[in-house]
């Protein structure tokens, strides 16, 4: 009899979704939204710096501008990945919210808040498409014509082009260079874009984090000290 009951008992995947599934989906959505918005802020900061600069007569001789373009490519790639993940999760959350067993849980202010967050996520995805087209038109032709020089380190752009998230201190997207970690948190560097919280960070050669965090801003580049 026990064996028969086990055979006919529904598996967790067969059960109708409810509050637990909604909470998990919303938590993942918020995580991906924060990542997409942080990388968006970095890219738009760099694009603003590029647009405000004076184009040189010999673009290949302007190493600072080439470094800016190089960083745009790296942060742009990170934004693309974050946007793709956010789009997929946004679609999943919309589908889940429309389920008959979930929709009654989202009423009144809860529905308004969810719709606002989903609309904001759509706006971030749309902004990526516009920023990507801009980069194809203005950045990549310069990078294709000029060899890349040393990128150097940078504390990032203090003037953010889009509003920060209202919850908490927010995340800051930085490029972590070299074989080391970004602290606090000992986030692996490996020439990748990482997200730091608290507005302060530093680069260390290992996870002992023997470094003093300094203020960092969107699109900062952290890495081992540059030797002249």
């Amino acid at each position: 009899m026990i064996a028969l009951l086990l055979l006919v008992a529904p598996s967790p995947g067969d059960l109708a979704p409810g509050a637990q599934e909604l909470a998990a989906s919303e938590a993942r959505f918020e995580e991906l939204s924060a990542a997409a918005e942080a990388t968006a802020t970095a890219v738009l900061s760099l694009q603003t710096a590029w647009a405000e600069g004076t184009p040189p007569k010999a673009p290949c001789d302007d190493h600072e501008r080439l470094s800016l373009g190089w960083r745009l490519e790296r942060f742009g790639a990170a934004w693309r990945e974050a946007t793709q993940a956010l789009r997929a999760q946004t679609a999943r959350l919309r589908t889940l919210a429309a389920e008959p067993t979930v929709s009654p849980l989202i009423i009144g202010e809860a529905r308004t808040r969810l719709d606002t967050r989903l609309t904001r996520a759509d706006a971030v995805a749309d902004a990526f498409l516009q920023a990507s087209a801009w980069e194809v038109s203005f950045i990549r032709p310069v990078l294709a014509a000029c060899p890349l020089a040393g990128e150097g380190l940078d504390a990032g752009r203090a003037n953010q082009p889009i509003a920060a998230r209202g919850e908490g201190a927010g995340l800051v997207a930085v490029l972590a260079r070299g074989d080391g970690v970004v602290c606090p948190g000992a986030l692996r560097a490996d020439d990748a874009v990482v997200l730091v919280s608290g507005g302060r960070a530093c680069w260390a050669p290992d996870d002992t984090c023997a470094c003093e965090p300094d203020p960092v801003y969107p699109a900062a580049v952290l890495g081992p000290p540059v030797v002249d």
Side-chain angles (χ1 to χ4, degrees), residues 39-94:
T39 49
T41 299
V43 171
L44 297 179
S45 296
L46 292 172
Q47 287 191 348
T48 298
W50 180 282
E52 291 177 346
T54 302
K57 293 182 179 179
C60 293
D61 293 335
D62 191 336
H63 292 174
E64 183 176 349
R65 195 169 177 82
L66 289 177
S67 173
L68 197 62
W70 175 83
R71 288 159 63 195
L72 268 165
E73 286 283 90
R74 299 300 296 271
F75 282 98
W79 189 10
R80 180 181 64 249
E81 293 180 3
T83 298
Q84 290 173 344
L86 178 58
R87 279 177 175 164
Q89 185 61 26
T90 299
R92 284 192 287 266
L93 182 54
R94 279 198 169 102

Short mmCIF file of all heavy atoms in Angstrom, two decimals, residues 39-94:
data_model
loop_
_atom_site.label_atom_id
_atom_site.label_comp_id
_atom_site.label_asym_id
_atom_site.label_seq_id
_atom_site.Cartn_x
_atom_site.Cartn_y
_atom_site.Cartn_z
N THR A 39 25.77 47.30 -14.51
CA THR A 39 26.58 47.30 -15.74
C THR A 39 26.09 48.38 -16.70
O THR A 39 26.88 48.99 -17.42
CB THR A 39 26.55 45.92 -16.41
OG1 THR A 39 25.21 45.45 -16.52
CG2 THR A 39 27.36 44.92 -15.61
N ALA A 40 24.78 48.63 -16.72
CA ALA A 40 24.25 49.71 -17.56
C ALA A 40 24.83 51.04 -17.13
O ALA A 40 25.23 51.87 -17.97
CB ALA A 40 22.73 49.74 -17.46
N THR A 41 24.89 51.29 -15.83
CA THR A 41 25.44 52.53 -15.33
C THR A 41 26.89 52.71 -15.75
O THR A 41 27.31 53.80 -16.16
CB THR A 41 25.34 52.58 -13.79
OG1 THR A 41 23.96 52.51 -13.42
CG2 THR A 41 25.94 53.85 -13.23
N ALA A 42 27.67 51.63 -15.69
CA ALA A 42 29.07 51.70 -16.10
C ALA A 42 29.19 52.05 -17.58
O ALA A 42 29.97 52.93 -17.97
CB ALA A 42 29.77 50.37 -15.80
N VAL A 43 28.42 51.37 -18.42
CA VAL A 43 28.51 51.61 -19.87
C VAL A 43 28.07 53.03 -20.22
O VAL A 43 28.75 53.73 -20.98
CB VAL A 43 27.65 50.59 -20.64
CG1 VAL A 43 27.55 50.97 -22.11
CG2 VAL A 43 28.25 49.20 -20.50
N LEU A 44 26.96 53.47 -19.65
CA LEU A 44 26.48 54.80 -19.97
C LEU A 44 27.41 55.88 -19.45
O LEU A 44 27.53 56.96 -20.05
CB LEU A 44 25.06 54.98 -19.42
CG LEU A 44 24.01 54.03 -20.03
CD1 LEU A 44 22.64 54.26 -19.40
CD2 LEU A 44 23.94 54.19 -21.54
N SER A 45 28.08 55.63 -18.34
CA SER A 45 29.08 56.56 -17.84
C SER A 45 30.23 56.70 -18.84
O SER A 45 30.69 57.81 -19.13
CB SER A 45 29.63 56.08 -16.49
OG SER A 45 28.63 56.08 -15.51
N LEU A 46 30.70 55.57 -19.35
CA LEU A 46 31.79 55.59 -20.32
C LEU A 46 31.37 56.23 -21.64
O LEU A 46 32.13 56.98 -22.26
CB LEU A 46 32.29 54.17 -20.56
CG LEU A 46 32.99 53.50 -19.38
CD1 LEU A 46 33.26 52.03 -19.69
CD2 LEU A 46 34.30 54.21 -19.05
N GLN A 47 30.16 55.95 -22.08
CA GLN A 47 29.67 56.56 -23.31
C GLN A 47 29.57 58.07 -23.17
O GLN A 47 29.88 58.82 -24.11
CB GLN A 47 28.32 55.97 -23.70
CG GLN A 47 28.40 54.56 -24.24
CD GLN A 47 27.11 54.09 -24.86
OE1 GLN A 47 26.06 54.71 -24.70
NE2 GLN A 47 27.16 52.98 -25.57
N THR A 48 29.14 58.53 -22.01
CA THR A 48 29.07 59.97 -21.77
C THR A 48 30.46 60.59 -21.83
O THR A 48 30.65 61.66 -22.43
CB THR A 48 28.43 60.24 -20.39
OG1 THR A 48 27.10 59.74 -20.38
CG2 THR A 48 28.40 61.73 -20.09
N ALA A 49 31.43 59.93 -21.22
CA ALA A 49 32.81 60.44 -21.25
C ALA A 49 33.34 60.49 -22.67
O ALA A 49 34.02 61.45 -23.06
CB ALA A 49 33.70 59.55 -20.37
N TRP A 50 33.04 59.49 -23.48
CA TRP A 50 33.48 59.47 -24.87
C TRP A 50 32.82 60.60 -25.66
O TRP A 50 33.49 61.32 -26.42
CB TRP A 50 33.14 58.12 -25.49
CG TRP A 50 33.54 57.98 -26.94
CD1 TRP A 50 32.90 58.48 -28.04
CD2 TRP A 50 34.69 57.27 -27.45
NE1 TRP A 50 33.56 58.14 -29.19
CE2 TRP A 50 34.66 57.39 -28.85
CE3 TRP A 50 35.70 56.55 -26.84
CZ2 TRP A 50 35.64 56.82 -29.66
CZ3 TRP A 50 36.67 55.97 -27.65
CH2 TRP A 50 36.64 56.11 -29.04
N ALA A 51 31.52 60.77 -25.49
CA ALA A 51 30.79 61.78 -26.24
C ALA A 51 31.21 63.19 -25.86
O ALA A 51 31.22 64.10 -26.70
CB ALA A 51 29.28 61.61 -26.02
N GLU A 52 31.57 63.39 -24.59
CA GLU A 52 31.96 64.72 -24.14
C GLU A 52 33.40 65.07 -24.51
O GLU A 52 33.77 66.24 -24.48
CB GLU A 52 31.80 64.82 -22.61
CG GLU A 52 30.34 64.81 -22.16
CD GLU A 52 30.20 64.83 -20.65
OE1 GLU A 52 31.23 64.58 -19.97
OE2 GLU A 52 29.08 65.06 -20.16
N GLY A 53 34.20 64.08 -24.85
CA GLY A 53 35.58 64.34 -25.23
C GLY A 53 35.70 64.91 -26.62
O GLY A 53 34.81 64.75 -27.47
N THR A 54 36.80 65.59 -26.88
CA THR A 54 37.06 66.18 -28.20
C THR A 54 37.79 65.16 -29.06
O THR A 54 38.88 64.71 -28.70
CB THR A 54 37.92 67.44 -28.07
OG1 THR A 54 37.25 68.38 -27.22
CG2 THR A 54 38.16 68.06 -29.44
N PRO A 55 37.19 64.75 -30.19
CA PRO A 55 37.86 63.78 -31.06
C PRO A 55 39.20 64.32 -31.54
O PRO A 55 39.28 65.44 -32.05
CB PRO A 55 36.88 63.61 -32.23
CG PRO A 55 35.55 64.06 -31.68
CD PRO A 55 35.87 65.15 -30.71
N PRO A 56 40.27 63.56 -31.37
CA PRO A 56 41.59 64.03 -31.80
C PRO A 56 41.75 63.93 -33.32
O PRO A 56 41.03 63.19 -34.00
CB PRO A 56 42.54 63.07 -31.09
CG PRO A 56 41.74 61.80 -30.98
CD PRO A 56 40.32 62.22 -30.77
N LYS A 57 42.69 64.70 -33.84
CA LYS A 57 42.96 64.64 -35.28
C LYS A 57 43.57 63.29 -35.66
O LYS A 57 43.33 62.78 -36.75
CB LYS A 57 43.91 65.78 -35.68
CG LYS A 57 43.29 67.17 -35.54
CD LYS A 57 44.27 68.25 -35.99
CE LYS A 57 43.63 69.63 -35.86
NZ LYS A 57 44.57 70.71 -36.28
N ALA A 58 44.36 62.75 -34.76
CA ALA A 58 44.97 61.43 -34.99
C ALA A 58 44.47 60.49 -33.89
O ALA A 58 45.10 60.38 -32.83
CB ALA A 58 46.48 61.52 -34.98
N PRO A 59 43.32 59.84 -34.09
CA PRO A 59 42.71 59.04 -33.02
C PRO A 59 43.60 57.94 -32.47
O PRO A 59 43.50 57.59 -31.30
CB PRO A 59 41.45 58.47 -33.68
CG PRO A 59 41.70 58.55 -35.14
CD PRO A 59 42.55 59.76 -35.34
N CYS A 60 44.47 57.40 -33.30
CA CYS A 60 45.31 56.30 -32.83
C CYS A 60 46.41 56.76 -31.88
O CYS A 60 47.04 55.93 -31.22
CB CYS A 60 45.92 55.56 -34.01
SG CYS A 60 44.70 54.68 -35.04
N ASP A 61 46.63 58.07 -31.81
CA ASP A 61 47.64 58.60 -30.90
C ASP A 61 47.06 58.96 -29.54
O ASP A 61 47.81 59.29 -28.62
CB ASP A 61 48.31 59.84 -31.51
CG ASP A 61 49.13 59.49 -32.75
OD1 ASP A 61 49.57 58.33 -32.85
OD2 ASP A 61 49.30 60.37 -33.61
N ASP A 62 45.75 58.94 -29.41
CA ASP A 62 45.10 59.31 -28.17
C ASP A 62 44.88 58.04 -27.34
O ASP A 62 43.84 57.38 -27.43
CB ASP A 62 43.76 60.00 -28.44
CG ASP A 62 43.16 60.63 -27.20
OD1 ASP A 62 43.51 60.18 -26.09
OD2 ASP A 62 42.35 61.56 -27.33
N HIS A 63 45.89 57.68 -26.55
CA HIS A 63 45.82 56.43 -25.80
C HIS A 63 44.72 56.44 -24.75
O HIS A 63 44.11 55.40 -24.46
CB HIS A 63 47.18 56.15 -25.15
CG HIS A 63 48.25 55.84 -26.14
ND1 HIS A 63 49.57 55.67 -25.79
CD2 HIS A 63 48.20 55.67 -27.49
CE1 HIS A 63 50.29 55.41 -26.86
NE2 HIS A 63 49.48 55.41 -27.91
N GLU A 64 44.45 57.60 -24.17
CA GLU A 64 43.40 57.68 -23.16
C GLU A 64 42.03 57.38 -23.77
O GLU A 64 41.21 56.67 -23.18
CB GLU A 64 43.39 59.06 -22.51
CG GLU A 64 42.37 59.19 -21.38
CD GLU A 64 42.45 60.54 -20.68
OE1 GLU A 64 43.43 61.28 -20.91
OE2 GLU A 64 41.53 60.82 -19.89
N ARG A 65 41.81 57.91 -24.96
CA ARG A 65 40.53 57.65 -25.63
C ARG A 65 40.42 56.20 -26.07
O ARG A 65 39.34 55.59 -26.00
CB ARG A 65 40.37 58.59 -26.83
CG ARG A 65 38.95 58.67 -27.40
CD ARG A 65 38.87 59.83 -28.38
NE ARG A 65 37.57 59.94 -29.03
CZ ARG A 65 36.51 60.54 -28.49
NH1 ARG A 65 36.61 61.06 -27.28
NH2 ARG A 65 35.37 60.62 -29.14
N LEU A 66 41.51 55.63 -26.53
CA LEU A 66 41.49 54.21 -26.90
C LEU A 66 41.22 53.34 -25.68
O LEU A 66 40.50 52.34 -25.77
CB LEU A 66 42.82 53.82 -27.54
CG LEU A 66 43.10 54.37 -28.94
CD1 LEU A 66 44.49 53.96 -29.40
CD2 LEU A 66 42.05 53.88 -29.93
N SER A 67 41.78 53.71 -24.55
CA SER A 67 41.52 52.97 -23.31
C SER A 67 40.05 53.05 -22.95
O SER A 67 39.45 52.05 -22.51
CB SER A 67 42.37 53.55 -22.17
OG SER A 67 42.03 52.95 -20.94
N LEU A 68 39.45 54.21 -23.16
CA LEU A 68 38.02 54.38 -22.90
C LEU A 68 37.20 53.44 -23.80
O LEU A 68 36.26 52.78 -23.34
CB LEU A 68 37.63 55.84 -23.15
CG LEU A 68 36.31 56.33 -22.57
CD1 LEU A 68 36.31 56.23 -21.06
CD2 LEU A 68 36.08 57.78 -23.01
N GLY A 69 37.58 53.37 -25.06
CA GLY A 69 36.88 52.48 -25.98
C GLY A 69 37.05 51.03 -25.62
O GLY A 69 36.10 50.23 -25.72
N TRP A 70 38.24 50.67 -25.20
CA TRP A 70 38.50 49.29 -24.79
C TRP A 70 37.61 48.92 -23.60
O TRP A 70 37.03 47.83 -23.55
CB TRP A 70 39.97 49.15 -24.42
CG TRP A 70 40.34 47.80 -23.87
CD1 TRP A 70 40.65 46.68 -24.59
CD2 TRP A 70 40.45 47.44 -22.49
NE1 TRP A 70 40.94 45.64 -23.74
CE2 TRP A 70 40.83 46.08 -22.45
CE3 TRP A 70 40.28 48.13 -21.30
CZ2 TRP A 70 41.04 45.40 -21.25
CZ3 TRP A 70 40.48 47.45 -20.10
CH2 TRP A 70 40.86 46.10 -20.09
N ARG A 71 37.49 49.82 -22.64
CA ARG A 71 36.64 49.55 -21.48
C ARG A 71 35.18 49.47 -21.88
O ARG A 71 34.41 48.66 -21.33
CB ARG A 71 36.86 50.63 -20.43
CG ARG A 71 38.20 50.49 -19.74
CD ARG A 71 38.65 51.78 -19.11
NE ARG A 71 37.76 52.21 -18.06
CZ ARG A 71 37.77 53.45 -17.55
NH1 ARG A 71 38.59 54.35 -18.03
NH2 ARG A 71 36.95 53.77 -16.58
N LEU A 72 34.77 50.29 -22.84
CA LEU A 72 33.38 50.21 -23.32
C LEU A 72 33.08 48.83 -23.88
O LEU A 72 31.99 48.28 -23.66
CB LEU A 72 33.13 51.28 -24.38
CG LEU A 72 32.59 52.61 -23.87
CD1 LEU A 72 32.72 53.69 -24.93
CD2 LEU A 72 31.14 52.47 -23.45
N GLU A 73 34.02 48.25 -24.60
CA GLU A 73 33.81 46.91 -25.14
C GLU A 73 33.65 45.89 -24.02
O GLU A 73 32.77 45.02 -24.08
CB GLU A 73 35.01 46.53 -26.03
CG GLU A 73 35.03 47.22 -27.37
CD GLU A 73 34.03 46.61 -28.33
OE1 GLU A 73 32.87 47.08 -28.34
OE2 GLU A 73 34.38 45.67 -29.06
N ARG A 74 34.47 45.98 -22.99
CA ARG A 74 34.42 45.00 -21.92
C ARG A 74 33.14 45.14 -21.09
O ARG A 74 32.47 44.15 -20.78
CB ARG A 74 35.66 45.15 -21.02
CG ARG A 74 36.97 44.93 -21.74
CD ARG A 74 37.04 43.52 -22.34
NE ARG A 74 37.04 42.51 -21.32
CZ ARG A 74 38.12 42.03 -20.72
NH1 ARG A 74 39.31 42.49 -21.05
NH2 ARG A 74 38.02 41.09 -19.81
N PHE A 75 32.81 46.37 -20.70
CA PHE A 75 31.60 46.57 -19.92
C PHE A 75 30.35 46.33 -20.76
O PHE A 75 29.33 45.87 -20.26
CB PHE A 75 31.58 47.97 -19.31
CG PHE A 75 32.45 48.12 -18.11
CD1 PHE A 75 33.73 48.66 -18.21
CD2 PHE A 75 32.01 47.72 -16.86
CE1 PHE A 75 34.54 48.80 -17.10
CE2 PHE A 75 32.81 47.83 -15.73
CZ PHE A 75 34.09 48.38 -15.85
N GLY A 76 30.44 46.63 -22.06
CA GLY A 76 29.30 46.36 -22.94
C GLY A 76 29.00 44.88 -23.03
O GLY A 76 27.84 44.47 -23.04
N ALA A 77 30.05 44.06 -23.08
CA ALA A 77 29.85 42.61 -23.11
C ALA A 77 29.20 42.12 -21.82
O ALA A 77 28.32 41.25 -21.83
CB ALA A 77 31.18 41.90 -23.34
N ALA A 78 29.63 42.69 -20.69
CA ALA A 78 29.03 42.31 -19.41
C ALA A 78 27.56 42.72 -19.36
O ALA A 78 26.72 41.98 -18.82
CB ALA A 78 29.81 42.95 -18.26
N TRP A 79 27.24 43.90 -19.89
CA TRP A 79 25.85 44.36 -19.91
C TRP A 79 25.00 43.44 -20.78
O TRP A 79 23.86 43.12 -20.46
CB TRP A 79 25.78 45.80 -20.38
CG TRP A 79 24.43 46.44 -20.23
CD1 TRP A 79 23.35 45.94 -19.57
CD2 TRP A 79 24.02 47.71 -20.75
NE1 TRP A 79 22.29 46.81 -19.65
CE2 TRP A 79 22.67 47.91 -20.35
CE3 TRP A 79 24.66 48.69 -21.50
CZ2 TRP A 79 21.95 49.04 -20.70
CZ3 TRP A 79 23.95 49.84 -21.82
CH2 TRP A 79 22.61 50.01 -21.43
N ARG A 80 25.56 43.00 -21.91
CA ARG A 80 24.82 42.10 -22.78
C ARG A 80 24.46 40.81 -22.06
O ARG A 80 23.30 40.36 -22.10
CB ARG A 80 25.65 41.77 -24.03
CG ARG A 80 24.93 40.82 -25.00
CD ARG A 80 25.77 40.50 -26.22
NE ARG A 80 26.97 39.78 -25.88
CZ ARG A 80 28.20 40.29 -25.98
NH1 ARG A 80 28.38 41.52 -26.39
NH2 ARG A 80 29.26 39.57 -25.65
N GLU A 81 25.42 40.22 -21.36
CA GLU A 81 25.14 38.98 -20.63
C GLU A 81 24.10 39.21 -19.53
O GLU A 81 23.20 38.39 -19.34
CB GLU A 81 26.43 38.45 -20.02
CG GLU A 81 27.45 37.98 -21.07
CD GLU A 81 28.72 37.46 -20.43
OE1 GLU A 81 28.78 37.42 -19.18
OE2 GLU A 81 29.65 37.10 -21.16
N ALA A 82 24.25 40.32 -18.80
CA ALA A 82 23.30 40.62 -17.73
C ALA A 82 21.90 40.86 -18.29
O ALA A 82 20.90 40.44 -17.70
CB ALA A 82 23.77 41.83 -16.93
N THR A 83 21.82 41.53 -19.43
CA THR A 83 20.53 41.82 -20.05
C THR A 83 19.84 40.56 -20.53
O THR A 83 18.63 40.39 -20.37
CB THR A 83 20.70 42.81 -21.21
OG1 THR A 83 21.22 44.05 -20.71
CG2 THR A 83 19.37 43.10 -21.89
N GLN A 84 20.60 39.66 -21.14
CA GLN A 84 20.02 38.40 -21.61
C GLN A 84 19.44 37.60 -20.44
O GLN A 84 18.34 37.05 -20.55
CB GLN A 84 21.09 37.60 -22.35
CG GLN A 84 21.49 38.19 -23.70
CD GLN A 84 22.67 37.47 -24.33
OE1 GLN A 84 23.38 36.71 -23.66
NE2 GLN A 84 22.89 37.70 -25.60
N ALA A 85 20.18 37.54 -19.35
CA ALA A 85 19.68 36.81 -18.18
C ALA A 85 18.45 37.49 -17.60
O ALA A 85 17.49 36.82 -17.19
CB ALA A 85 20.78 36.72 -17.12
N LEU A 86 18.45 38.82 -17.57
CA LEU A 86 17.31 39.55 -17.02
C LEU A 86 16.07 39.38 -17.90
O LEU A 86 14.96 39.21 -17.39
CB LEU A 86 17.65 41.04 -16.88
CG LEU A 86 16.53 41.94 -16.36
CD1 LEU A 86 16.05 41.48 -14.99
CD2 LEU A 86 17.00 43.39 -16.32
N ARG A 87 16.24 39.41 -19.20
CA ARG A 87 15.10 39.22 -20.10
C ARG A 87 14.44 37.86 -19.86
O ARG A 87 13.21 37.75 -19.79
CB ARG A 87 15.57 39.31 -21.57
CG ARG A 87 15.74 40.72 -22.10
CD ARG A 87 16.28 40.65 -23.51
NE ARG A 87 16.36 41.95 -24.14
CZ ARG A 87 17.07 42.20 -25.22
NH1 ARG A 87 17.80 41.22 -25.78
NH2 ARG A 87 17.09 43.39 -25.76
N ALA A 88 15.28 36.83 -19.76
CA ALA A 88 14.73 35.49 -19.55
C ALA A 88 13.98 35.40 -18.22
O ALA A 88 12.88 34.84 -18.16
CB ALA A 88 15.86 34.46 -19.59
N GLN A 89 14.55 35.98 -17.17
CA GLN A 89 13.89 35.92 -15.87
C GLN A 89 12.64 36.79 -15.84
O GLN A 89 11.64 36.43 -15.19
CB GLN A 89 14.86 36.37 -14.77
CG GLN A 89 14.30 36.23 -13.36
CD GLN A 89 13.95 34.79 -13.01
OE1 GLN A 89 14.52 33.85 -13.56
NE2 GLN A 89 13.01 34.61 -12.09
N THR A 90 12.66 37.91 -16.54
CA THR A 90 11.46 38.76 -16.62
C THR A 90 10.31 38.00 -17.27
O THR A 90 9.17 38.07 -16.80
CB THR A 90 11.77 40.04 -17.43
OG1 THR A 90 12.80 40.78 -16.77
CG2 THR A 90 10.54 40.93 -17.54
N ALA A 91 10.62 37.27 -18.34
CA ALA A 91 9.58 36.48 -19.01
C ALA A 91 9.05 35.39 -18.09
O ALA A 91 7.83 35.15 -18.03
CB ALA A 91 10.15 35.87 -20.30
N ARG A 92 9.95 34.74 -17.36
CA ARG A 92 9.51 33.69 -16.43
C ARG A 92 8.63 34.26 -15.33
O ARG A 92 7.61 33.65 -14.95
CB ARG A 92 10.73 32.97 -15.83
CG ARG A 92 11.42 32.00 -16.78
CD ARG A 92 12.41 31.13 -16.06
NE ARG A 92 13.60 31.87 -15.68
CZ ARG A 92 14.71 31.94 -16.41
NH1 ARG A 92 14.77 31.31 -17.57
NH2 ARG A 92 15.74 32.63 -15.99
N LEU A 93 9.01 35.42 -14.81
CA LEU A 93 8.24 36.02 -13.72
C LEU A 93 6.87 36.46 -14.22
O LEU A 93 5.85 36.30 -13.51
CB LEU A 93 9.00 37.20 -13.13
CG LEU A 93 8.34 37.93 -11.95
CD1 LEU A 93 7.99 36.95 -10.84
CD2 LEU A 93 9.26 39.02 -11.43
N ARG A 94 6.80 37.01 -15.42
CA ARG A 94 5.50 37.41 -15.98
C ARG A 94 4.59 36.20 -16.15
O ARG A 94 3.40 36.25 -15.85
CB ARG A 94 5.69 38.13 -17.32
CG ARG A 94 6.07 39.59 -17.22
CD ARG A 94 5.82 40.32 -18.52
NE ARG A 94 5.94 41.76 -18.34
CZ ARG A 94 6.99 42.48 -18.70
NH1 ARG A 94 8.02 41.89 -19.29
NH2 ARG A 94 7.02 43.79 -18.50
#
